[in-house]
Amino acid sequence: MNASAFTRTDPALGEFALRPVDPAADAPVLHSWVTHPKAVFWLMQDCDLAAVEKEFIRIDADPHHDALLGLHNGAPAFLMERYDPAHRELVGIHAARPGDVGMHFLTAPTDTPVHGFTHAVITTVMESLFADPDVRRVVVEPDTRNTAVHALNKAVGFEVVRTVSLPSKDAYLSTCTREQFLATRGDR
């Protein structure tokens, strides 16, 4: 995989952009996000700064996994990981097809939530994935307890395929084709 930049403008919320994570420079902000109580499903609650940096160095070196920092109007606001499900996360569990890409995302914790912000983030993530003409379907495996992300996934076209047991969680294996995503876009 090859991390690349992406930008889109949301009419109500402004500019959303993605750029590759710089493991050393971005580790402090990522550490504050992944160790926050709202990021419990990232399973990094007890990580120190060095461990977070090491994890993103590992991702950066992996040819089948990318991490991208999401910016909102130029400021760090979310994280996206993109992976090849034929080589990571779902090997032996999901029969990956050509054109499949796996995804995780995390919105930065905030004390002042903005209505529609997380939906704009997942829309940015999905648009960035489908900007690659080779991507036909996005695959996710959120923890079955993560009800907030299930609602967001459904809103952008994901359908639950089945429940799967992964080493760290029980998850809803879900997929969203390009057509399913576009069908949710309406006049936006």
Side-chain angles (χ1 to χ4, degrees):
M1 306 207 84
N2 186 12
S4 59
F6 178 82
T7 303
R8 75 176 276 271
T9 300
D10 182 285
L13 297 172
E15 184 179 89
F16 289 82
L18 288 160
R19 65 150 173 87
V21 163
D22 177 331
D26 296 330
V29 74
L30 295 173
H31 177 263
S32 73
W33 295 353
V34 300
T35 59
H36 189 279
K38 291 182 180 177
V40 67
F41 297 112
W42 279 70
L43 306 174
M44 298 182 79
Q45 299 291 291
D46 298 324
C47 289
D48 62 14
L49 181 61
V52 171
E53 182 176 350
K54 183 177 178 181
E55 175 63 7
F56 286 95
I57 289 171
R58 182 195 65 74
I59 291 169
D60 189 50
D62 187 330
H64 304 290
H65 198 165
D66 295 320
L68 296 111
L69 187 70
L71 307 172
H72 176 241
N73 295 326
F78 61 101
L79 171 66
M80 172 185 144
E81 290 183 15
R82 176 177 60 198
Y83 67 89
D84 182 342
H87 297 277
R88 296 289 170 267
E89 305 287 333
L90 297 169
V91 175
I93 294 170
H94 166 70
R97 297 186 223 163
D100 278 1
V101 64
M103 175 273 287
H104 302 131
F105 83 99
L106 174 68
T107 303
T110 182
D111 292 329
T112 54
V114 174
H115 179 73
F117 185 79
T118 307
H119 188 272
V121 167
I122 195 170
T123 298
T124 300
V125 166
M126 296 296 284
E127 284 187 10
S128 75
L129 294 170
F130 286 126
D132 178 344
D134 292 334
V135 171
R136 298 298 311 151
R137 185 170 69 161
V138 180
V139 181
V140 295
E141 67 329 301
D143 192 296
T144 56
R145 298 167 295 164
N146 192 346
T147 56
V149 85
H150 302 315
L152 283 166
N153 286 347
K154 184 176 181 180
V156 295
F158 279 96
E159 291 183 352
V160 175
V161 176
R162 68 181 188 278
T163 303
V164 296
S165 291
L166 301 175
S168 61
K169 63 187 176 184
D170 286 333
Y172 291 138
L173 176 66
S174 304
T175 61
C176 179
T177 64
R178 181 183 302 270
E179 295 75 18
Q180 287 170 308
F181 173 63
L182 291 175
T184 69
R185 301 300 298 140
D187 293 327
R188 294 178 207 189

Coordinates of all heavy atoms in Angstrom, one line a residue, residues 83-126:
Y83 N -5.6 -1.0 5.2 CA -4.8 -2.2 5.2 C -5.3 -3.1 4.1 O -6.5 -3.0 3.6 CB -4.7 -2.9 6.5 CG -6.1 -3.5 7.0 CD1 -6.5 -4.8 6.7 CD2 -6.9 -2.7 7.8 CE1 -7.7 -5.3 7.1 CE2 -8.1 -3.2 8.2 CZ -8.5 -4.5 7.9 OH -9.7 -5.0 8.3
D84 N -4.5 -4.0 3.7 CA -4.9 -5.1 2.7 C -5.4 -6.3 3.5 O -4.6 -7.0 4.2 CB -3.7 -5.4 1.8 CG -4.0 -6.5 0.8 OD1 -5.1 -7.1 0.9 OD2 -3.2 -6.6 -0.2
P85 N -6.7 -6.5 3.4 CA -7.3 -7.6 4.2 C -6.8 -9.0 3.7 O -7.0 -10.0 4.5 CB -8.8 -7.5 4.0 CG -8.9 -6.7 2.8 CD -7.7 -5.8 2.6
A86 N -6.1 -9.1 2.6 CA -5.5 -10.4 2.2 C -4.2 -10.7 3.0 O -3.7 -11.8 2.9 CB -5.3 -10.4 0.7
H87 N -3.7 -9.6 3.6 CA -2.4 -9.8 4.3 C -2.4 -9.4 5.8 O -1.5 -9.7 6.5 CB -1.3 -8.9 3.6 CG -1.1 -9.4 2.2 ND1 -0.2 -10.4 1.9 CD2 -1.6 -8.9 1.0 CE1 -0.2 -10.6 0.6 NE2 -1.0 -9.7 0.1
R88 N -3.5 -8.7 6.2 CA -3.5 -8.2 7.6 C -4.9 -8.3 8.2 O -5.9 -8.3 7.4 CB -3.2 -6.7 7.7 CG -1.8 -6.3 7.3 CD -0.8 -6.8 8.3 NE 0.6 -6.7 7.8 CZ 1.2 -7.7 7.2 NH1 0.7 -8.9 7.0 NH2 2.5 -7.5 6.8
E89 N -5.0 -8.4 9.5 CA -6.3 -8.3 10.2 C -7.2 -9.5 10.0 O -7.6 -10.1 10.9 CB -7.1 -7.0 10.0 CG -6.3 -5.8 10.2 CD -6.1 -5.5 11.7 OE1 -6.9 -5.9 12.5 OE2 -5.1 -4.8 12.0
L90 N -7.5 -9.8 8.8 CA -8.6 -10.8 8.5 C -8.1 -12.0 7.7 O -9.0 -12.8 7.2 CB -9.7 -10.1 7.7 CG -10.4 -9.0 8.5 CD1 -11.3 -8.1 7.5 CD2 -11.2 -9.5 9.6
V91 N -6.8 -12.2 7.7 CA -6.3 -13.4 7.0 C -6.9 -14.7 7.6 O -6.9 -14.9 8.8 CB -4.8 -13.4 7.1 CG1 -4.2 -14.7 6.5 CG2 -4.2 -12.2 6.4
G92 N -7.4 -15.5 6.8 CA -8.0 -16.8 7.2 C -9.5 -16.6 7.7 O -10.1 -17.6 8.1
I93 N -10.0 -15.4 7.8 CA -11.3 -15.1 8.3 C -12.2 -14.6 7.2 O -13.4 -14.9 7.1 CB -11.3 -14.2 9.5 CG1 -10.5 -14.8 10.7 CG2 -12.6 -13.7 9.9 CD1 -10.2 -13.9 11.8
H94 N -11.6 -13.8 6.3 CA -12.4 -13.1 5.3 C -11.7 -13.5 3.9 O -10.5 -13.3 3.8 CB -12.4 -11.6 5.5 CG -12.8 -10.8 4.3 ND1 -14.1 -10.8 3.9 CD2 -12.1 -10.0 3.5 CE1 -14.2 -10.0 2.8 NE2 -13.0 -9.5 2.6
A95 N -12.5 -14.0 3.0 CA -11.9 -14.3 1.7 C -11.8 -13.0 0.9 O -12.8 -12.5 0.2 CB -12.8 -15.3 1.0
A96 N -10.7 -12.3 1.0 CA -10.5 -11.0 0.3 C -10.5 -11.2 -1.2 O -10.0 -12.2 -1.7 CB -9.2 -10.4 0.7
R97 N -11.2 -10.2 -1.8 CA -11.3 -10.2 -3.3 C -10.4 -9.1 -3.8 O -10.1 -8.1 -3.1 CB -12.7 -9.9 -3.7 CG -13.8 -10.8 -3.4 CD -15.1 -10.4 -4.0 NE -16.2 -10.5 -3.1 CZ -17.3 -9.9 -3.3 NH1 -17.5 -9.1 -4.3 NH2 -18.3 -10.0 -2.4
P98 N -10.0 -9.2 -5.1 CA -9.3 -8.0 -5.7 C -10.2 -6.8 -5.5 O -11.4 -6.9 -5.7 CB -9.1 -8.5 -7.2 CG -9.2 -9.9 -7.1 CD -10.1 -10.3 -6.0
G99 N -9.6 -5.7 -5.1 CA -10.3 -4.5 -4.9 C -10.8 -4.3 -3.5 O -11.4 -3.2 -3.2
D100 N -10.5 -5.2 -2.6 CA -10.9 -5.0 -1.2 C -9.8 -4.2 -0.5 O -8.6 -4.4 -0.7 CB -11.0 -6.4 -0.5 CG -12.3 -7.1 -0.7 OD1 -13.2 -6.5 -1.4 OD2 -12.5 -8.2 -0.1
V101 N -10.2 -3.4 0.4 CA -9.3 -2.6 1.3 C -9.9 -2.6 2.7 O -11.2 -2.4 2.8 CB -9.0 -1.2 0.8 CG1 -10.2 -0.3 0.7 CG2 -7.9 -0.5 1.6
G102 N -9.1 -2.8 3.7 CA -9.6 -2.7 5.1 C -9.4 -1.3 5.6 O -8.5 -0.6 5.1
M103 N -10.1 -0.9 6.6 CA -10.0 0.4 7.2 C -10.4 0.4 8.6 O -11.2 -0.3 9.1 CB -11.0 1.3 6.4 CG -11.2 2.7 6.9 SD -12.4 3.0 8.2 CE -14.0 2.8 7.3
H104 N -9.7 1.3 9.4 CA -10.0 1.7 10.7 C -10.0 3.2 10.8 O -9.2 3.9 10.0 CB -8.9 1.2 11.7 CG -8.7 -0.2 11.8 ND1 -7.4 -0.8 11.7 CD2 -9.6 -1.3 11.8 CE1 -7.5 -2.1 11.8 NE2 -8.8 -2.4 11.8
F105 N -10.8 3.8 11.6 CA -10.7 5.3 11.8 C -11.0 5.7 13.3 O -11.7 4.9 14.0 CB -11.5 6.1 10.8 CG -13.0 6.2 11.2 CD1 -13.4 7.4 11.8 CD2 -13.9 5.2 11.0 CE1 -14.8 7.5 12.2 CE2 -15.2 5.3 11.4 CZ -15.6 6.5 12.0
L106 N -10.4 6.8 13.7 CA -10.6 7.3 15.1 C -10.7 8.8 15.0 O -9.8 9.4 14.4 CB -9.4 6.9 15.9 CG -9.3 7.4 17.3 CD1 -10.5 6.8 18.2 CD2 -8.0 7.2 18.0
T107 N -11.7 9.3 15.5 CA -11.9 10.8 15.6 C -11.3 11.2 17.0 O -11.5 10.6 18.0 CB -13.4 11.1 15.6 OG1 -13.9 10.6 14.3 CG2 -13.6 12.6 15.6
A108 N -10.6 12.3 16.9 CA -9.9 12.8 18.2 C -11.0 13.1 19.2 O -12.1 13.6 18.9 CB -9.2 14.1 17.8
P109 N -10.7 12.8 20.5 CA -11.6 13.1 21.5 C -11.8 14.6 21.7 O -10.8 15.4 21.4 CB -11.0 12.5 22.8 CG -9.6 12.3 22.4 CD -9.5 12.2 21.0
T110 N -13.0 15.1 22.1 CA -13.2 16.5 22.2 C -14.2 16.7 23.3 O -15.1 15.9 23.6 CB -13.7 17.1 20.9 OG1 -13.9 18.5 21.1 CG2 -15.0 16.5 20.4
D111 N -14.1 17.8 24.0 CA -15.1 18.2 25.0 C -16.2 19.1 24.4 O -17.2 19.4 25.0 CB -14.4 19.1 26.1 CG -13.5 18.2 26.9 OD1 -13.7 17.0 27.1 OD2 -12.5 18.8 27.4
T112 N -16.0 19.5 23.1 CA -17.0 20.3 22.4 C -17.4 19.6 21.1 O -16.9 20.1 20.0 CB -16.5 21.7 22.2 OG1 -15.3 21.6 21.5 CG2 -16.3 22.4 23.5
P113 N -18.2 18.6 21.1 CA -18.6 17.9 19.9 C -19.3 18.8 18.9 O -20.1 19.7 19.3 CB -19.5 16.7 20.3 CG -19.5 16.7 21.8 CD -18.8 18.0 22.3
V114 N -19.1 18.6 17.6 CA -19.7 19.4 16.5 C -20.7 18.4 15.8 O -20.2 17.3 15.3 CB -18.7 19.9 15.6 CG1 -19.4 20.6 14.4 CG2 -17.8 20.9 16.3
H115 N -22.0 18.8 15.7 CA -23.0 17.9 15.1 C -22.5 17.6 13.6 O -22.2 18.5 12.9 CB -24.3 18.6 15.1 CG -25.4 17.8 14.4 ND1 -25.9 16.7 14.9 CD2 -25.9 18.0 13.2 CE1 -26.8 16.2 14.1 NE2 -26.8 16.9 13.0
G116 N -22.5 16.4 13.3 CA -22.2 15.9 11.9 C -20.7 15.7 11.7 O -20.3 15.3 10.6
F117 N -19.8 16.0 12.7 CA -18.4 16.0 12.4 C -17.9 14.6 12.1 O -17.2 14.3 11.2 CB -17.6 16.6 13.6 CG -16.2 16.7 13.4 CD1 -15.6 17.7 12.6 CD2 -15.3 15.7 13.9 CE1 -14.3 17.7 12.4 CE2 -13.9 15.7 13.7 CZ -13.4 16.8 12.9
T118 N -18.3 13.6 13.0 CA -17.8 12.2 12.8 C -18.3 11.7 11.5 O -17.6 10.9 10.8 CB -18.2 11.4 14.0 OG1 -17.7 12.0 15.2 CG2 -17.5 10.0 13.9
H119 N -19.6 12.0 11.1 CA -20.1 11.6 9.8 C -19.2 12.2 8.7 O -18.9 11.5 7.7 CB -21.5 12.0 9.6 CG -22.2 11.3 8.4 ND1 -22.1 11.9 7.2 CD2 -22.8 10.2 8.2 CE1 -22.7 11.2 6.3 NE2 -23.1 10.1 6.9
A120 N -18.8 13.4 8.8 CA -18.0 14.0 7.8 C -16.6 13.4 7.7 O -16.0 13.2 6.7 CB -17.8 15.5 8.1
V121 N -16.1 12.9 8.9 CA -14.8 12.2 8.9 C -14.9 10.9 8.2 O -14.1 10.6 7.3 CB -14.4 12.0 10.4 CG1 -13.2 11.0 10.5 CG2 -13.9 13.3 11.0
I122 N -16.0 10.1 8.5 CA -16.1 8.8 7.8 C -16.3 8.9 6.4 O -15.9 8.2 5.5 CB -17.1 7.8 8.5 CG1 -16.9 6.4 8.0 CG2 -18.5 8.3 8.3 CD1 -17.6 5.3 8.7
T123 N -17.0 10.0 6.0 CA -17.3 10.3 4.6 C -15.9 10.6 3.9 O -15.7 10.1 2.8 CB -18.3 11.4 4.4 OG1 -19.5 11.0 5.0 CG2 -18.5 11.8 2.9
T124 N -15.1 11.4 4.6 CA -13.8 11.7 4.0 C -13.0 10.4 3.9 O -12.3 10.2 2.8 CB -13.0 12.7 5.0 OG1 -13.8 13.9 5.1 CG2 -11.6 13.0 4.5
V125 N -13.0 9.6 4.9 CA -12.3 8.3 4.8 C -12.7 7.5 3.6 O -11.9 7.0 2.8 CB -12.4 7.5 6.1 CG1 -12.0 6.1 6.0 CG2 -11.7 8.3 7.3
M126 N -14.0 7.3 3.5 CA -14.6 6.5 2.4 C -14.3 7.1 1.0 O -13.9 6.4 0.1 CB -16.1 6.3 2.6 CG -16.4 5.5 3.8 SD -15.8 3.8 3.8 CE -17.0 3.1 2.7

